[in-house]
mmCIF file of all heavy atoms in Angstrom:
data_model
loop_
_atom_site.group_PDB
_atom_site.id
_atom_site.type_symbol
_atom_site.label_atom_id
_atom_site.label_comp_id
_atom_site.label_asym_id
_atom_site.label_seq_id
_atom_site.Cartn_x
_atom_site.Cartn_y
_atom_site.Cartn_z
ATOM 1 N N ASP A 25 74.140 7.693 -100.457
ATOM 2 C CA ASP A 25 74.613 8.907 -99.787
ATOM 3 C C ASP A 25 73.574 9.450 -98.811
ATOM 4 O O ASP A 25 73.933 9.978 -97.758
ATOM 5 C CB ASP A 25 74.966 9.997 -100.806
ATOM 6 C CG ASP A 25 76.281 9.735 -101.527
ATOM 7 O OD1 ASP A 25 77.068 8.879 -101.076
ATOM 8 O OD2 ASP A 25 76.519 10.408 -102.555
ATOM 9 N N THR A 26 72.305 9.335 -99.158
ATOM 10 C CA THR A 26 71.255 9.899 -98.300
ATOM 11 C C THR A 26 70.725 8.927 -97.253
ATOM 12 O O THR A 26 70.376 9.342 -96.158
ATOM 13 C CB THR A 26 70.073 10.423 -99.135
ATOM 14 O OG1 THR A 26 69.559 9.365 -99.934
ATOM 15 C CG2 THR A 26 70.484 11.593 -100.003
ATOM 16 N N THR A 27 70.678 7.624 -97.581
ATOM 17 C CA THR A 27 70.080 6.665 -96.641
ATOM 18 C C THR A 27 71.091 5.708 -96.019
ATOM 19 O O THR A 27 70.777 5.037 -95.045
ATOM 20 C CB THR A 27 68.996 5.815 -97.334
ATOM 21 O OG1 THR A 27 69.608 4.958 -98.306
ATOM 22 C CG2 THR A 27 67.941 6.689 -97.990
ATOM 23 N N GLY A 28 72.268 5.615 -96.591
ATOM 24 C CA GLY A 28 73.276 4.697 -96.064
ATOM 25 C C GLY A 28 73.201 3.300 -96.644
ATOM 26 O O GLY A 28 74.049 2.463 -96.360
ATOM 27 N N LYS A 29 72.199 3.041 -97.454
ATOM 28 C CA LYS A 29 72.066 1.723 -98.078
ATOM 29 C C LYS A 29 71.138 1.831 -99.272
ATOM 30 O O LYS A 29 70.499 2.860 -99.485
ATOM 31 C CB LYS A 29 71.535 0.703 -97.083
ATOM 32 C CG LYS A 29 70.226 1.097 -96.445
ATOM 33 C CD LYS A 29 69.837 0.133 -95.354
ATOM 34 C CE LYS A 29 68.599 0.675 -94.648
ATOM 35 N NZ LYS A 29 68.166 -0.161 -93.569
ATOM 36 N N PHE A 30 71.106 0.749 -100.019
ATOM 37 C CA PHE A 30 70.155 0.707 -101.117
ATOM 38 C C PHE A 30 69.842 -0.745 -101.438
ATOM 39 O O PHE A 30 70.605 -1.646 -101.148
ATOM 40 C CB PHE A 30 70.679 1.441 -102.360
ATOM 41 C CG PHE A 30 71.592 0.632 -103.229
ATOM 42 C CD1 PHE A 30 71.106 -0.023 -104.358
ATOM 43 C CD2 PHE A 30 72.934 0.503 -102.925
ATOM 44 C CE1 PHE A 30 71.942 -0.772 -105.146
ATOM 45 C CE2 PHE A 30 73.774 -0.243 -103.715
ATOM 46 C CZ PHE A 30 73.281 -0.884 -104.831
ATOM 47 N N SER A 31 68.684 -0.945 -102.019
ATOM 48 C CA SER A 31 68.310 -2.257 -102.545
ATOM 49 C C SER A 31 68.004 -2.058 -104.019
ATOM 50 O O SER A 31 67.783 -0.927 -104.473
ATOM 51 C CB SER A 31 67.074 -2.795 -101.816
ATOM 52 O OG SER A 31 65.943 -2.013 -102.138
ATOM 53 N N MET A 32 67.993 -3.144 -104.733
ATOM 54 C CA MET A 32 67.692 -3.038 -106.155
ATOM 55 C C MET A 32 66.257 -2.531 -106.367
ATOM 56 O O MET A 32 66.008 -1.767 -107.294
ATOM 57 C CB MET A 32 67.911 -4.381 -106.853
ATOM 58 C CG MET A 32 69.371 -4.839 -106.825
ATOM 59 S SD MET A 32 70.482 -3.739 -107.707
ATOM 60 C CE MET A 32 70.539 -4.559 -109.299
ATOM 61 N N ARG A 33 65.352 -2.908 -105.478
ATOM 62 C CA ARG A 33 63.962 -2.443 -105.599
ATOM 63 C C ARG A 33 63.864 -0.932 -105.343
ATOM 64 O O ARG A 33 63.179 -0.215 -106.070
ATOM 65 C CB ARG A 33 63.046 -3.194 -104.631
ATOM 66 C CG ARG A 33 62.797 -4.623 -105.051
ATOM 67 C CD ARG A 33 61.678 -5.238 -104.201
ATOM 68 N NE ARG A 33 61.437 -6.605 -104.592
ATOM 69 C CZ ARG A 33 60.753 -6.976 -105.665
ATOM 70 N NH1 ARG A 33 60.256 -6.075 -106.465
ATOM 71 N NH2 ARG A 33 60.578 -8.249 -105.936
ATOM 72 N N LYS A 34 64.545 -0.460 -104.299
ATOM 73 C CA LYS A 34 64.519 0.983 -104.009
ATOM 74 C C LYS A 34 65.214 1.763 -105.116
ATOM 75 O O LYS A 34 64.779 2.863 -105.469
ATOM 76 C CB LYS A 34 65.171 1.267 -102.659
ATOM 77 C CG LYS A 34 64.318 0.841 -101.496
ATOM 78 C CD LYS A 34 64.978 1.177 -100.179
ATOM 79 C CE LYS A 34 64.103 0.678 -99.042
ATOM 80 N NZ LYS A 34 64.702 0.936 -97.730
ATOM 81 N N LEU A 35 66.267 1.189 -105.647
ATOM 82 C CA LEU A 35 66.971 1.835 -106.757
ATOM 83 C C LEU A 35 66.038 1.965 -107.957
ATOM 84 O O LEU A 35 65.917 3.038 -108.551
ATOM 85 C CB LEU A 35 68.223 1.036 -107.126
ATOM 86 C CG LEU A 35 69.014 1.505 -108.333
ATOM 87 C CD1 LEU A 35 69.484 2.946 -108.158
ATOM 88 C CD2 LEU A 35 70.208 0.579 -108.558
ATOM 89 N N ALA A 36 65.357 0.873 -108.295
ATOM 90 C CA ALA A 36 64.419 0.903 -109.426
ATOM 91 C C ALA A 36 63.301 1.916 -109.175
ATOM 92 O O ALA A 36 62.927 2.679 -110.076
ATOM 93 C CB ALA A 36 63.847 -0.489 -109.668
ATOM 94 N N ALA A 37 62.799 1.947 -107.951
ATOM 95 C CA ALA A 37 61.723 2.895 -107.621
ATOM 96 C C ALA A 37 62.203 4.336 -107.778
ATOM 97 O O ALA A 37 61.469 5.194 -108.290
ATOM 98 C CB ALA A 37 61.226 2.649 -106.200
ATOM 99 N N SER A 38 63.433 4.608 -107.366
ATOM 100 C CA SER A 38 63.947 5.978 -107.490
ATOM 101 C C SER A 38 64.123 6.384 -108.949
ATOM 102 O O SER A 38 64.107 7.568 -109.274
ATOM 103 C CB SER A 38 65.269 6.132 -106.734
ATOM 104 O OG SER A 38 66.333 5.509 -107.433
ATOM 105 N N LEU A 39 64.288 5.392 -109.807
ATOM 106 C CA LEU A 39 64.425 5.640 -111.242
ATOM 107 C C LEU A 39 63.084 5.556 -111.973
ATOM 108 O O LEU A 39 63.025 5.785 -113.182
ATOM 109 C CB LEU A 39 65.395 4.631 -111.854
ATOM 110 C CG LEU A 39 66.856 4.771 -111.436
ATOM 111 C CD1 LEU A 39 67.637 3.495 -111.755
ATOM 112 C CD2 LEU A 39 67.483 5.966 -112.132
ATOM 113 N N ALA A 40 62.040 5.169 -111.234
ATOM 114 C CA ALA A 40 60.702 4.991 -111.797
ATOM 115 C C ALA A 40 60.696 3.953 -112.919
ATOM 116 O O ALA A 40 60.102 4.159 -113.989
ATOM 117 C CB ALA A 40 60.126 6.327 -112.277
ATOM 118 N N VAL A 41 61.380 2.826 -112.647
ATOM 119 C CA VAL A 41 61.412 1.715 -113.602
ATOM 120 C C VAL A 41 61.125 0.417 -112.863
ATOM 121 O O VAL A 41 61.207 0.354 -111.639
ATOM 122 C CB VAL A 41 62.774 1.611 -114.330
ATOM 123 C CG1 VAL A 41 63.068 2.869 -115.130
ATOM 124 C CG2 VAL A 41 63.905 1.299 -113.371
ATOM 125 N N ASP A 42 60.836 -0.604 -113.610
ATOM 126 C CA ASP A 42 60.656 -1.933 -113.052
ATOM 127 C C ASP A 42 62.022 -2.439 -112.571
ATOM 128 O O ASP A 42 63.035 -2.191 -113.244
ATOM 129 C CB ASP A 42 60.103 -2.862 -114.147
ATOM 130 C CG ASP A 42 59.801 -4.237 -113.613
ATOM 131 O OD1 ASP A 42 60.735 -5.080 -113.630
ATOM 132 O OD2 ASP A 42 58.660 -4.470 -113.182
ATOM 133 N N PRO A 43 62.100 -3.140 -111.437
ATOM 134 C CA PRO A 43 63.386 -3.642 -110.956
ATOM 135 C C PRO A 43 64.156 -4.466 -111.989
ATOM 136 O O PRO A 43 65.389 -4.419 -112.037
ATOM 137 C CB PRO A 43 63.008 -4.506 -109.748
ATOM 138 C CG PRO A 43 61.731 -3.918 -109.257
ATOM 139 C CD PRO A 43 61.014 -3.428 -110.497
ATOM 140 N N MET A 44 63.447 -5.178 -112.842
ATOM 141 C CA MET A 44 64.123 -6.000 -113.854
ATOM 142 C C MET A 44 64.888 -5.145 -114.865
ATOM 143 O O MET A 44 65.855 -5.589 -115.477
ATOM 144 C CB MET A 44 63.129 -6.912 -114.564
ATOM 145 C CG MET A 44 62.516 -7.983 -113.657
ATOM 146 S SD MET A 44 63.730 -8.895 -112.661
ATOM 147 C CE MET A 44 64.600 -9.788 -113.909
ATOM 148 N N ALA A 45 64.486 -3.886 -115.021
ATOM 149 C CA ALA A 45 65.188 -2.995 -115.951
ATOM 150 C C ALA A 45 66.610 -2.736 -115.472
ATOM 151 O O ALA A 45 67.535 -2.632 -116.280
ATOM 152 C CB ALA A 45 64.420 -1.683 -116.095
ATOM 153 N N VAL A 46 66.798 -2.647 -114.161
ATOM 154 C CA VAL A 46 68.142 -2.429 -113.605
ATOM 155 C C VAL A 46 69.007 -3.659 -113.867
ATOM 156 O O VAL A 46 70.194 -3.540 -114.195
ATOM 157 C CB VAL A 46 68.068 -2.108 -112.098
ATOM 158 C CG1 VAL A 46 69.464 -1.983 -111.493
ATOM 159 C CG2 VAL A 46 67.262 -0.833 -111.856
ATOM 160 N N TYR A 47 68.399 -4.834 -113.749
ATOM 161 C CA TYR A 47 69.153 -6.080 -113.976
ATOM 162 C C TYR A 47 69.593 -6.249 -115.427
ATOM 163 O O TYR A 47 70.482 -7.026 -115.720
ATOM 164 C CB TYR A 47 68.328 -7.292 -113.528
ATOM 165 C CG TYR A 47 68.252 -7.427 -112.032
ATOM 166 C CD1 TYR A 47 67.085 -7.116 -111.344
ATOM 167 C CD2 TYR A 47 69.360 -7.852 -111.295
ATOM 168 C CE1 TYR A 47 67.010 -7.232 -109.962
ATOM 169 C CE2 TYR A 47 69.294 -7.967 -109.916
ATOM 170 C CZ TYR A 47 68.119 -7.655 -109.261
ATOM 171 O OH TYR A 47 68.061 -7.780 -107.901
ATOM 172 N N TYR A 48 68.985 -5.519 -116.321
ATOM 173 C CA TYR A 48 69.433 -5.540 -117.722
ATOM 174 C C TYR A 48 70.846 -4.965 -117.822
ATOM 175 O O TYR A 48 71.652 -5.407 -118.634
ATOM 176 C CB TYR A 48 68.452 -4.743 -118.602
ATOM 177 C CG TYR A 48 68.890 -4.636 -120.043
ATOM 178 C CD1 TYR A 48 68.688 -5.689 -120.928
ATOM 179 C CD2 TYR A 48 69.528 -3.489 -120.504
ATOM 180 C CE1 TYR A 48 69.104 -5.600 -122.251
ATOM 181 C CE2 TYR A 48 69.949 -3.384 -121.826
ATOM 182 C CZ TYR A 48 69.734 -4.443 -122.697
ATOM 183 O OH TYR A 48 70.148 -4.355 -124.006
ATOM 184 N N TYR A 49 71.144 -3.973 -116.976
ATOM 185 C CA TYR A 49 72.440 -3.299 -117.018
ATOM 186 C C TYR A 49 73.452 -3.863 -116.025
ATOM 187 O O TYR A 49 74.659 -3.784 -116.260
ATOM 188 C CB TYR A 49 72.261 -1.797 -116.734
ATOM 189 C CG TYR A 49 71.486 -1.093 -117.821
ATOM 190 C CD1 TYR A 49 70.111 -0.952 -117.749
ATOM 191 C CD2 TYR A 49 72.137 -0.589 -118.939
ATOM 192 C CE1 TYR A 49 69.397 -0.308 -118.749
ATOM 193 C CE2 TYR A 49 71.444 0.048 -119.950
ATOM 194 C CZ TYR A 49 70.070 0.180 -119.846
ATOM 195 O OH TYR A 49 69.373 0.804 -120.852
ATOM 196 N N PHE A 50 72.969 -4.383 -114.918
ATOM 197 C CA PHE A 50 73.833 -4.931 -113.866
ATOM 198 C C PHE A 50 73.274 -6.269 -113.394
ATOM 199 O O PHE A 50 72.094 -6.362 -113.079
ATOM 200 C CB PHE A 50 73.913 -3.969 -112.673
ATOM 201 C CG PHE A 50 74.576 -2.666 -112.995
ATOM 202 C CD1 PHE A 50 73.822 -1.545 -113.307
ATOM 203 C CD2 PHE A 50 75.960 -2.553 -112.984
ATOM 204 C CE1 PHE A 50 74.431 -0.337 -113.605
ATOM 205 C CE2 PHE A 50 76.580 -1.348 -113.283
ATOM 206 C CZ PHE A 50 75.815 -0.238 -113.593
ATOM 207 N N PRO A 51 74.121 -7.305 -113.322
ATOM 208 C CA PRO A 51 73.617 -8.630 -112.966
ATOM 209 C C PRO A 51 73.159 -8.756 -111.515
ATOM 210 O O PRO A 51 72.327 -9.607 -111.194
ATOM 211 C CB PRO A 51 74.804 -9.553 -113.234
ATOM 212 C CG PRO A 51 76.006 -8.675 -113.158
ATOM 213 C CD PRO A 51 75.550 -7.320 -113.628
ATOM 214 N N ASN A 52 73.684 -7.894 -110.625
ATOM 215 C CA ASN A 52 73.329 -7.997 -109.212
ATOM 216 C C ASN A 52 73.723 -6.718 -108.468
ATOM 217 O O ASN A 52 74.342 -5.815 -109.038
ATOM 218 C CB ASN A 52 73.993 -9.224 -108.569
ATOM 219 C CG ASN A 52 75.487 -9.255 -108.812
ATOM 220 O OD1 ASN A 52 76.168 -8.233 -108.729
ATOM 221 N ND2 ASN A 52 76.009 -10.441 -109.130
ATOM 222 N N LYS A 53 73.387 -6.692 -107.188
ATOM 223 C CA LYS A 53 73.666 -5.520 -106.354
ATOM 224 C C LYS A 53 75.175 -5.280 -106.235
ATOM 225 O O LYS A 53 75.622 -4.129 -106.248
ATOM 226 C CB LYS A 53 73.045 -5.730 -104.974
ATOM 227 C CG LYS A 53 73.231 -4.580 -104.033
ATOM 228 C CD LYS A 53 72.558 -4.865 -102.698
ATOM 229 C CE LYS A 53 72.827 -3.761 -101.705
ATOM 230 N NZ LYS A 53 72.174 -4.011 -100.411
ATOM 231 N N GLU A 54 75.947 -6.340 -106.112
ATOM 232 C CA GLU A 54 77.396 -6.182 -105.988
ATOM 233 C C GLU A 54 77.983 -5.477 -107.213
ATOM 234 O O GLU A 54 78.876 -4.632 -107.087
ATOM 235 C CB GLU A 54 78.084 -7.528 -105.790
ATOM 236 C CG GLU A 54 79.587 -7.379 -105.595
ATOM 237 C CD GLU A 54 80.289 -8.689 -105.328
ATOM 238 O OE1 GLU A 54 79.996 -9.319 -104.302
ATOM 239 O OE2 GLU A 54 81.138 -9.064 -106.159
ATOM 240 N N ALA A 55 77.483 -5.789 -108.377
ATOM 241 C CA ALA A 55 77.971 -5.132 -109.595
ATOM 242 C C ALA A 55 77.670 -3.636 -109.568
ATOM 243 O O ALA A 55 78.474 -2.816 -110.020
ATOM 244 C CB ALA A 55 77.367 -5.784 -110.835
ATOM 245 N N VAL A 56 76.515 -3.268 -109.021
ATOM 246 C CA VAL A 56 76.187 -1.853 -108.885
ATOM 247 C C VAL A 56 77.134 -1.199 -107.878
ATOM 248 O O VAL A 56 77.633 -0.092 -108.100
ATOM 249 C CB VAL A 56 74.710 -1.644 -108.461
ATOM 250 C CG1 VAL A 56 74.405 -0.168 -108.237
ATOM 251 C CG2 VAL A 56 73.756 -2.231 -109.490
ATOM 252 N N MET A 57 77.407 -1.895 -106.773
ATOM 253 C CA MET A 57 78.334 -1.364 -105.760
ATOM 254 C C MET A 57 79.723 -1.141 -106.361
ATOM 255 O O MET A 57 80.350 -0.103 -106.139
ATOM 256 C CB MET A 57 78.429 -2.312 -104.560
ATOM 257 C CG MET A 57 77.184 -2.402 -103.728
ATOM 258 S SD MET A 57 76.840 -0.925 -102.762
ATOM 259 C CE MET A 57 78.150 -0.983 -101.571
ATOM 260 N N VAL A 58 80.210 -2.113 -107.114
ATOM 261 C CA VAL A 58 81.527 -1.973 -107.749
ATOM 262 C C VAL A 58 81.519 -0.785 -108.707
ATOM 263 O O VAL A 58 82.449 0.029 -108.706
ATOM 264 C CB VAL A 58 81.944 -3.275 -108.476
ATOM 265 C CG1 VAL A 58 83.158 -3.042 -109.361
ATOM 266 C CG2 VAL A 58 82.223 -4.385 -107.474
ATOM 267 N N ALA A 59 80.472 -0.660 -109.484
ATOM 268 C CA ALA A 59 80.381 0.457 -110.431
ATOM 269 C C ALA A 59 80.335 1.797 -109.702
ATOM 270 O O ALA A 59 80.965 2.771 -110.135
ATOM 271 C CB ALA A 59 79.148 0.292 -111.327
#
Side-chain angles (χ1 to χ4, degrees):
D25 285 345
T26 57
T27 67
K29 56 187 174 181
F30 83 97
S31 68
M32 296 297 265
R33 288 191 180 282
K34 287 182 182 178
L35 175 58
S38 74
L39 292 163
V41 299
D42 184 272
M44 294 312 293
V46 176
Y47 286 106
Y48 176 80
Y49 294 92
F50 295 97
N52 52 42
K53 181 179 176 179
E54 183 177 297
V56 176
M57 291 289 291
V58 168

